[in-house]
Amino acid sequence: MDDILTVEQFSLDLRREKVWNPILHEISFTLKKGETLGIVGESGSGKSVTALSIMRLLESKIAKNSGKLLFFDSNLQNQIAMDTLPEKEMQKIRGDKIAMIFQEPMTSLNPVMKCGAQITEALLLHTKLSKKEAKLRVLELFNEVMLPRPEKIFEAYPFELSGGQKQRVMIALAMSCNPDILIADEPTTALDVTVQKGILELIKKLQLKYNMSVIFITHDLGVVVEIADRVLVMYKGEIVERGDAKQVFAHPQHPYTQGLLACRPSMDRRLKLLPTIDDFMRQQDDFSSVSLSEKLNKHTISNEERESTHKHLYETEPILKIENLSKIYPLRKEKLFEKRQYLKALDQINLEVYEGETLGLVGESGCGKTTLGRSIIRLIEPTAGQIYYKGMLLNTLSPKALRKVRKELQIILQDPYSSLNQRIKIGDALMEPMRVHGLFGNDKQRKQKVIELLERVSLNETHFYRYPHEFSGGQRQRIAIARALAVNPRFIICDESVSALDVSVQAQVLNLLNELKREFGLTYIFISHDLSVVKFMSDRMAVMKEGKIVELNEADEIYRHPATPYTQQLIDAIPGVKSSFL
């Protein structure tokens, strides 16, 4: 039998506030031995609950299902009906026969337990290895997933590792018992494109070595085409398209699939506006009757338009000037009498930003992008160098004078959830900076201004009274944008502000940022590890590596003619770029 997993007419309802809500609607698919099956869709499409249902990780108090979940056990040479299996028997399958890599490794790993001990625990539970043998197996796994210094990581806590390293620990944990099926739920979300590429290659390598079947879940069709044999596209709990991954990527049939592809910024053309899912799902729209390439043509900016805009833009004086900016951090000593080492997070950065420009900063994690963004507004104090804003030297400003300037210089942080106070309602969070800077007279006028801002970022007055946890990721990002706009800034630093969003929500937020830029005459520094997103947003692009700017040029020119191997590496790591559907 080739099929190792069969899902037949599976439906799922979840209970919320005493009401049962239908989530999955009679979905059916199979997974073959040694195959990679991609499941694609936005948040809320049903991808993750499908995976959790297969693993039987949803409590019966909040979930009820119908249909069949059949797993073929190669050792017993028979099918096991997992949907009716007692929990004690399911525990023998979970982690041993079917393993799962969860989306966020930091919340999936125990923060107070060393990485090695967490995998040792799984081995002791599912195998007959001794504690000593289990440790050797863990070190072997760490080598297999290409973690540096396995012995050190064995003794490290999760918070001591980078995002990519934590994800590799999760893969090692999932692979510890040599499962027949590996379910990878958004394992590369928010990772650098180069780290993402490494994780995809690692999963593929392990799959071939162990002849393992993989279910790979993501919102990004570009990622799926790099790894999957077949693909399922899910929308509102249903499978709307299925087939060979490359065929679906090259010739999407369903409007929703076309929308998922078009939402991702194109590397081959410059668009004024990114299409969204809604554009493709509205039947009366002319999008439904023409090819995907034709749909994008109407939004394409010509080279002549772009050259004309840039000629006017760069005739003016820079609004921001950075000269020889450095930031040096002392590193912790490993031994008492060891000579202290230092890390150059920024190494003599020179940069100019023009009023009305979007300057993109791109590079891998640790290259200095965020440090540069925060140093500009002195959230981090630079070690050396000068920062001039409108001819004013920011380095020497007193805290009181700096507070006044910060009204014009704002930042949108990477994670809006952690940057918002969870105990303060959204309306109060947006009014707070207005009060600090004495804007709009009184709280009644401030409230009216906040409501206007919420409406401008496609929220409404009812959201004024809600707490951060009551919003989706995309909505929280819109709130972060509204808060940055609350003090009428002129210059905004967007620090990885769309990195963790679905491609469809990402498209909406990127379009919104461009609309606000035109409406309010804003200047942006746009920071991201994703070169395709930076290229869409930027007039010019600066490529950073190890605290230095290694390339600075017009964004399209950098993509067409990268000057360094490092930039070429970033371009090559963009998912699906070699298999462009255009």
Side-chain angles (χ1 to χ4, degrees):
M1 178 180 285
D2 286 338
D3 294 341
I4 191 169
L5 179 71
T6 302
V7 177
E8 287 183 7
Q9 300 292 303
F10 189 81
S11 296
L12 174 73
D13 291 0
L14 292 181
R15 187 179 183 183
R16 186 180 180 186
E17 296 177 358
K18 300 182 180 180
V19 177
W20 290 97
N21 301 287
I23 304 299
L24 299 177
H25 309 283
E26 297 186 342
I27 63 170
S28 298
F29 63 90
T30 60
L31 176 68
K32 299 184 183 304
K33 184 67 179 172
E35 176 188 42
T36 299
L37 177 69
I39 302 181
V40 188
E42 301 170 278
S43 292
S45 63
K47 310 183 305 294
S48 292
V49 291
T50 299
L52 294 171
S53 297
I54 292 168
M55 293 290 288
R56 289 269 305 274
L57 289 173
L58 296 171
E59 292 184 44
S60 57
K61 292 178 183 178
I62 62 159
K64 62 180 181 181
N65 59 265
S66 62
K68 294 181 179 179
L69 297 172
L70 305 173
F71 168 68
F72 182 77
D73 191 322
S74 54
N75 293 334
L76 301 175
Q77 288 296 305
N78 70 343
Q79 276 192 331
I80 298 171
M82 293 191 297
D83 49 290
T84 58
L85 205 62
E87 176 59 22
K88 194 171 182 181
E89 293 299 311
M90 188 63 204
Q91 284 179 2
K92 296 177 183 177
I93 294 177
R94 192 187 297 128
D96 184 17
K97 300 289 185 181
I98 307 177
M100 188 165 175
I101 305 168
F102 293 93
Q103 180 171 355
E104 179 44 69
M106 193 61 211
T107 55
S108 304
L109 293 168
N110 189 330
V112 296
M113 193 174 182
K114 291 178 180 178
C115 295
Q118 297 190 49
I119 303 177
T120 302
E121 184 181 55
L123 285 168
L124 295 176
L125 179 65
H126 289 290
T127 70
K128 295 179 181 179
L129 295 176
S130 67
K131 200 167 184 180
K132 186 177 179 181
E133 291 170 330
K135 180 177 180 179
L136 290 173
R137 173 60 180 152
V138 173
L139 293 174
E140 183 185 327
L141 283 164
F142 282 174
N143 270 313
E144 210 162 31
V145 299
M146 293 179 284
L147 279 166
R149 297 172 294 175
E151 293 83 3
K152 188 169 183 179
I153 288 181
F154 188 95
E155 297 296 331
Y157 291 96
F159 69 86
E160 297 180 278
L161 307 183
S162 70
Q165 288 174 335
K166 284 195 283 278
Q167 199 59 279
R168 288 173 188 269
V169 171
M170 280 295 299
I171 293 171
L173 177 58
M175 293 298 302
S176 58
C177 298
N178 297 334
D180 294 325
I181 298 174
L182 176 67
I183 301 174
D185 185 9
E186 300 272 16
T188 59
T189 298
L191 295 180
D192 288 355
V193 285
T194 47
V195 177
Q196 173 179 265
K197 185 180 180 183
I199 295 294
L200 294 178
E201 289 172 350
L202 173 62
I203 291 172
K204 198 71 180 173
K205 176 185 170 185
L206 293 172
Q207 179 196 22
L208 292 171
K209 182 176 180 178
Y210 294 103
N211 192 28
M212 179 175 60
S213 302
V214 176
I215 296 177
F216 193 93
I217 296 170
T218 181
H219 61 263
D220 193 338
L221 261 170
V223 172
V224 161
V225 79
E226 298 285 333
I227 193 170
D229 302 302
R230 287 188 301 128
V231 65
L232 308 175
V233 182
M234 293 193 70
Y235 177 63
K236 293 185 177 179
E238 296 180 356
I239 297 171
V240 296
E241 187 162 357
R242 65 179 80 210
D244 175 82
K246 288 183 171 58
Q247 184 69 20
V248 169
F249 187 84
H251 305 289
Q253 299 301 307
H254 195 278
Y256 180 71
T257 314
Q258 292 187 357
L260 281 177
L261 278 169
C263 284
R264 187 168 183 83
S266 168
M267 296 304 291
D268 299 323
R269 64 182 77 199
R270 178 163 288 278
L271 302 175
K272 299 173 187 174
L273 190 72
L274 284 175
T276 63
I277 296 291
D278 288 345
D279 293 330
F280 288 81
M281 296 305 291
R282 285 194 292 266
Q283 294 303 312
Q284 70 273 22
D285 196 290
D286 66 345
F287 277 85
S288 60
S289 60
V290 293
S291 74
L292 187 54
S293 185
E294 289 174 306
K295 292 168 189 177
L296 298 181
N297 279 339
K298 64 188 289 185
H299 295 303
T300 301
I301 302 172
S302 69
N303 290 336
E304 291 75 17
E305 287 179 89
R306 190 161 171 81
E307 286 171 10
S308 174
T309 302
H310 283 184
K311 184 181 178 183
H312 174 73
L313 186 66
Y314 298 122
E315 284 175 348
T316 59
E317 282 293 309
I319 189 174
L320 182 78
K321 207 169 185 178
I322 298 168
E323 296 177 351
N324 300 316
L325 194 70
S326 297
K327 178 62 183 178
I328 299 172
Y329 290 104
L331 298 178
R332 188 177 65 183
K333 290 183 179 181
E334 295 290 336
K335 297 176 183 176
L336 182 61
F337 298 106
E338 184 180 50
K339 186 178 179 181
R340 186 176 292 281
Q341 301 293 313
Y342 294 88
L343 171 68
K344 284 189 176 181
L346 297 176
D347 189 359
Q348 294 193 322
I349 297 289
N350 291 283
L351 195 62
E352 294 178 345
V353 184
Y354 293 81
E355 189 164 9
E357 178 183 29
T358 297
L359 177 76
L361 277 182
V362 68
E364 298 173 291
S365 289
C367 71
K369 307 184 302 294
T370 295
T371 304
L372 176 56
R374 296 189 179 198
S375 296
I376 289 169
I377 57 176
R378 283 182 57 191
L379 289 178
I380 294 174
E381 290 293 343
T383 306
Q386 292 81 41
I387 305 163
Y388 295 93
Y389 174 70
K390 292 184 176 179
M392 184 190 316
L393 182 61
L394 298 185
N395 306 61
T396 56
L397 290 182
S398 67
K400 187 176 180 181
L402 182 62
R403 192 178 300 120
K404 290 181 181 178
V405 176
R406 280 200 180 134
K407 187 171 77 70
E408 292 197 24
L409 290 162
Q410 287 291 299
I411 188 167
I412 302 170
L413 298 170
Q414 180 171 359
D415 182 0
Y417 189 69
S418 61
S419 64
L420 292 167
N421 189 324
Q422 306 309 305
R423 294 177 294 178
I424 295 178
K425 292 177 182 177
I426 292 304
D428 291 326
L430 268 64
M431 285 171 63
E432 184 180 29
M434 295 178 182
R435 292 192 190 106
V436 169
H437 292 285
L439 299 176
F440 309 111
N442 55 52
D443 277 357
K444 185 178 179 181
Q445 291 174 320
R446 291 178 189 123
K447 181 179 178 180
Q448 185 56 44
K449 181 63 177 176
V450 167
I451 292 169
E452 288 174 16
L453 283 172
L454 289 173
E455 290 172 348
R456 185 62 195 83
V457 297
S458 302
L459 298 172
N460 58 56
E461 185 175 351
T462 62
H463 295 128
F464 184 97
Y465 306 98
R466 296 185 189 176
Y467 290 93
H469 72 270
E470 298 180 83
F471 295 90
S472 69
Q475 287 175 322
R476 283 197 287 266
Q477 199 58 272
R478 290 171 185 275
I479 291 164
I481 292 169
R483 187 173 62 174
L485 292 172
V487 291
N488 295 330
R490 305 302 302 162
F491 195 113
I492 298 179
I493 298 166
C494 305
D495 184 10
E496 298 276 14
S497 52
V498 296
S499 61
L501 301 178
D502 286 355
V503 285
S504 55
V505 178
Q506 174 182 278
Q508 294 168 16
V509 173
L510 293 177
N511 286 340
L512 174 63
L513 286 170
N514 279 335
E515 287 171 19
L516 294 170
K517 178 187 173 183
R518 289 189 292 269
E519 185 176 334
F520 296 104
L522 300 172
T523 303
Y524 290 147
I525 288 182
F526 191 90
I527 299 170
S528 178
H529 60 261
D530 189 335
L531 195 141
S532 64
V533 171
V534 173
K535 177 180 172 290
F536 167 74
M537 289 294 292
S538 305
D539 296 292
R540 289 184 303 149
M541 188 191 303
V543 182
M544 290 193 69
K545 182 184 181 184
E546 296 175 354
K548 296 181 178 181
I549 293 175
V550 295
E551 190 166 355
L552 174 63
N553 207 336
E554 203 275 342
D556 290 354
E557 183 62 21
I558 282 183
Y559 174 67
R560 285 193 297 262
H561 306 292
T564 68
Y566 176 70
T567 308
Q568 185 63 58
Q569 180 187 341
L570 291 176
I571 293 169
D572 290 342
I574 299 169
V577 75
K578 294 177 184 175
S579 315
S580 175
F581 57 90
L582 299 174

Short mmCIF file of all heavy atoms in Angstrom, two decimals, residues 114-117 135-136 138-143 147-157 160-161:
data_model
loop_
_atom_site.label_atom_id
_atom_site.label_comp_id
_atom_site.label_asym_id
_atom_site.label_seq_id
_atom_site.Cartn_x
_atom_site.Cartn_y
_atom_site.Cartn_z
N LYS A 114 16.57 22.64 29.58
CA LYS A 114 17.64 22.68 28.58
C LYS A 114 17.22 21.91 27.33
O LYS A 114 16.48 20.93 27.40
CB LYS A 114 18.93 22.12 29.16
CG LYS A 114 19.54 23.02 30.25
CD LYS A 114 20.79 22.41 30.84
CE LYS A 114 21.38 23.34 31.92
NZ LYS A 114 22.58 22.75 32.55
N CYS A 115 17.75 22.37 26.18
CA CYS A 115 17.34 21.79 24.89
C CYS A 115 17.61 20.29 24.83
O CYS A 115 16.76 19.52 24.37
CB CYS A 115 18.07 22.51 23.75
SG CYS A 115 17.61 24.24 23.58
N GLY A 116 18.79 19.88 25.29
CA GLY A 116 19.14 18.46 25.24
C GLY A 116 18.21 17.61 26.08
O GLY A 116 17.79 16.53 25.67
N ALA A 117 17.84 18.12 27.26
CA ALA A 117 16.97 17.37 28.16
C ALA A 117 15.58 17.17 27.56
O ALA A 117 14.93 16.13 27.78
CB ALA A 117 16.87 18.09 29.50
N LYS A 135 21.47 10.51 25.30
CA LYS A 135 22.27 11.74 25.12
C LYS A 135 23.11 11.66 23.85
O LYS A 135 23.20 12.62 23.08
CB LYS A 135 23.16 11.98 26.33
CG LYS A 135 24.01 13.25 26.17
CD LYS A 135 24.86 13.55 27.39
CE LYS A 135 25.67 14.84 27.14
NZ LYS A 135 26.50 15.21 28.31
N LEU A 136 23.72 10.50 23.60
CA LEU A 136 24.52 10.33 22.39
C LEU A 136 23.65 10.48 21.14
O LEU A 136 24.09 11.05 20.14
CB LEU A 136 25.19 8.95 22.41
CG LEU A 136 26.32 8.76 23.44
CD1 LEU A 136 26.80 7.31 23.47
CD2 LEU A 136 27.49 9.70 23.13
N VAL A 138 20.92 12.31 20.94
CA VAL A 138 20.58 13.73 20.81
C VAL A 138 21.72 14.49 20.14
O VAL A 138 21.51 15.30 19.24
CB VAL A 138 20.24 14.35 22.19
CG1 VAL A 138 20.06 15.86 22.06
CG2 VAL A 138 18.98 13.73 22.77
N LEU A 139 22.95 14.22 20.57
CA LEU A 139 24.12 14.89 19.96
C LEU A 139 24.24 14.52 18.47
O LEU A 139 24.59 15.36 17.64
CB LEU A 139 25.39 14.51 20.71
CG LEU A 139 25.50 15.02 22.15
CD1 LEU A 139 26.75 14.46 22.85
CD2 LEU A 139 25.52 16.55 22.18
N GLU A 140 23.92 13.27 18.17
CA GLU A 140 23.91 12.82 16.77
C GLU A 140 22.86 13.58 15.96
O GLU A 140 23.10 14.02 14.83
CB GLU A 140 23.64 11.31 16.73
CG GLU A 140 23.69 10.70 15.34
CD GLU A 140 23.28 9.24 15.37
OE1 GLU A 140 23.56 8.55 16.38
OE2 GLU A 140 22.68 8.77 14.39
N LEU A 141 21.68 13.76 16.56
CA LEU A 141 20.60 14.51 15.91
C LEU A 141 20.99 15.97 15.70
O LEU A 141 20.72 16.55 14.64
CB LEU A 141 19.31 14.43 16.75
CG LEU A 141 18.52 13.13 16.67
CD1 LEU A 141 17.52 13.05 17.82
CD2 LEU A 141 17.78 13.03 15.34
N PHE A 142 21.62 16.58 16.71
CA PHE A 142 22.06 17.98 16.58
C PHE A 142 23.07 18.13 15.44
O PHE A 142 23.06 19.13 14.72
CB PHE A 142 22.66 18.47 17.90
CG PHE A 142 21.62 18.83 18.94
CD1 PHE A 142 22.02 19.17 20.23
CD2 PHE A 142 20.27 18.82 18.64
CE1 PHE A 142 21.07 19.51 21.20
CE2 PHE A 142 19.32 19.15 19.60
CZ PHE A 142 19.73 19.49 20.88
N ASN A 143 23.93 17.13 15.28
CA ASN A 143 24.86 17.15 14.15
C ASN A 143 24.11 17.02 12.83
O ASN A 143 24.42 17.68 11.85
CB ASN A 143 25.87 16.00 14.27
CG ASN A 143 27.13 16.41 15.04
OD1 ASN A 143 27.70 17.46 14.76
ND2 ASN A 143 27.54 15.60 15.99
N LEU A 147 23.44 21.86 13.67
CA LEU A 147 23.57 22.85 14.73
C LEU A 147 25.05 22.98 15.10
O LEU A 147 25.74 21.97 15.23
CB LEU A 147 22.77 22.43 15.96
CG LEU A 147 21.27 22.74 15.93
CD1 LEU A 147 20.54 21.97 17.02
CD2 LEU A 147 21.00 24.23 16.06
N PRO A 148 25.54 24.20 15.26
CA PRO A 148 26.95 24.37 15.65
C PRO A 148 27.16 23.98 17.11
O PRO A 148 26.28 24.17 17.94
CB PRO A 148 27.19 25.88 15.45
CG PRO A 148 25.84 26.50 15.64
CD PRO A 148 24.84 25.49 15.13
N ARG A 149 28.30 23.40 17.41
CA ARG A 149 28.67 23.02 18.79
C ARG A 149 27.55 22.29 19.52
O ARG A 149 26.94 22.82 20.47
CB ARG A 149 29.09 24.26 19.57
CG ARG A 149 30.34 24.94 19.00
CD ARG A 149 30.64 26.25 19.66
NE ARG A 149 29.60 27.23 19.37
CZ ARG A 149 29.55 28.44 19.90
NH1 ARG A 149 30.48 28.82 20.75
NH2 ARG A 149 28.59 29.28 19.58
N PRO A 150 27.20 21.08 19.08
CA PRO A 150 26.09 20.33 19.67
C PRO A 150 26.15 20.18 21.19
O PRO A 150 25.12 20.27 21.87
CB PRO A 150 26.19 18.95 18.99
CG PRO A 150 26.88 19.23 17.69
CD PRO A 150 27.85 20.34 17.97
N GLU A 151 27.38 19.97 21.73
CA GLU A 151 27.50 19.80 23.19
C GLU A 151 27.05 21.06 23.93
O GLU A 151 26.41 20.98 24.99
CB GLU A 151 28.96 19.48 23.57
CG GLU A 151 29.46 18.13 23.08
CD GLU A 151 29.94 18.18 21.63
OE1 GLU A 151 29.93 19.28 21.04
OE2 GLU A 151 30.30 17.11 21.10
N LYS A 152 27.38 22.23 23.37
CA LYS A 152 27.00 23.48 24.02
C LYS A 152 25.49 23.70 23.92
O LYS A 152 24.85 24.14 24.89
CB LYS A 152 27.75 24.65 23.37
CG LYS A 152 27.56 25.96 24.11
CD LYS A 152 28.50 27.05 23.62
CE LYS A 152 28.32 28.32 24.43
NZ LYS A 152 29.23 29.40 24.00
N ILE A 153 24.91 23.38 22.76
CA ILE A 153 23.47 23.56 22.60
C ILE A 153 22.69 22.55 23.44
O ILE A 153 21.60 22.85 23.92
CB ILE A 153 23.10 23.47 21.10
CG1 ILE A 153 23.60 24.76 20.41
CG2 ILE A 153 21.59 23.29 20.89
CD1 ILE A 153 23.32 24.87 18.95
N PHE A 154 23.28 21.37 23.67
CA PHE A 154 22.65 20.38 24.56
C PHE A 154 22.41 20.98 25.94
O PHE A 154 21.38 20.71 26.57
CB PHE A 154 23.54 19.14 24.66
CG PHE A 154 22.92 17.99 25.39
CD1 PHE A 154 22.27 16.98 24.70
CD2 PHE A 154 22.97 17.90 26.78
CE1 PHE A 154 21.68 15.92 25.37
CE2 PHE A 154 22.38 16.85 27.46
CZ PHE A 154 21.73 15.84 26.75
N GLU A 155 23.35 21.81 26.39
CA GLU A 155 23.25 22.41 27.73
C GLU A 155 22.62 23.81 27.71
O GLU A 155 22.51 24.45 28.76
CB GLU A 155 24.65 22.52 28.34
CG GLU A 155 25.33 21.18 28.57
CD GLU A 155 24.61 20.33 29.61
OE1 GLU A 155 23.95 20.91 30.50
OE2 GLU A 155 24.68 19.09 29.51
N ALA A 156 22.21 24.28 26.53
CA ALA A 156 21.66 25.64 26.43
C ALA A 156 20.14 25.64 26.63
O ALA A 156 19.45 24.66 26.34
CB ALA A 156 21.99 26.23 25.06
N TYR A 157 19.63 26.77 27.11
CA TYR A 157 18.18 26.98 27.20
C TYR A 157 17.69 27.60 25.88
O TYR A 157 18.47 28.26 25.17
CB TYR A 157 17.85 27.90 28.37
CG TYR A 157 18.08 27.28 29.72
CD1 TYR A 157 19.27 27.49 30.42
CD2 TYR A 157 17.11 26.46 30.30
CE1 TYR A 157 19.50 26.90 31.65
CE2 TYR A 157 17.33 25.88 31.55
CZ TYR A 157 18.52 26.10 32.21
OH TYR A 157 18.73 25.51 33.43
N GLU A 160 18.64 31.15 24.66
CA GLU A 160 20.03 31.43 24.31
C GLU A 160 20.33 31.17 22.84
O GLU A 160 21.45 31.41 22.38
CB GLU A 160 20.96 30.57 25.17
CG GLU A 160 20.87 30.88 26.66
CD GLU A 160 21.80 30.02 27.50
OE1 GLU A 160 21.44 28.88 27.80
OE2 GLU A 160 22.90 30.51 27.84
N LEU A 161 19.34 30.68 22.10
CA LEU A 161 19.54 30.33 20.70
C LEU A 161 18.85 31.32 19.77
O LEU A 161 17.89 31.99 20.17
CB LEU A 161 19.00 28.92 20.41
CG LEU A 161 19.48 27.79 21.32
CD1 LEU A 161 18.89 26.46 20.84
CD2 LEU A 161 21.00 27.71 21.34
#
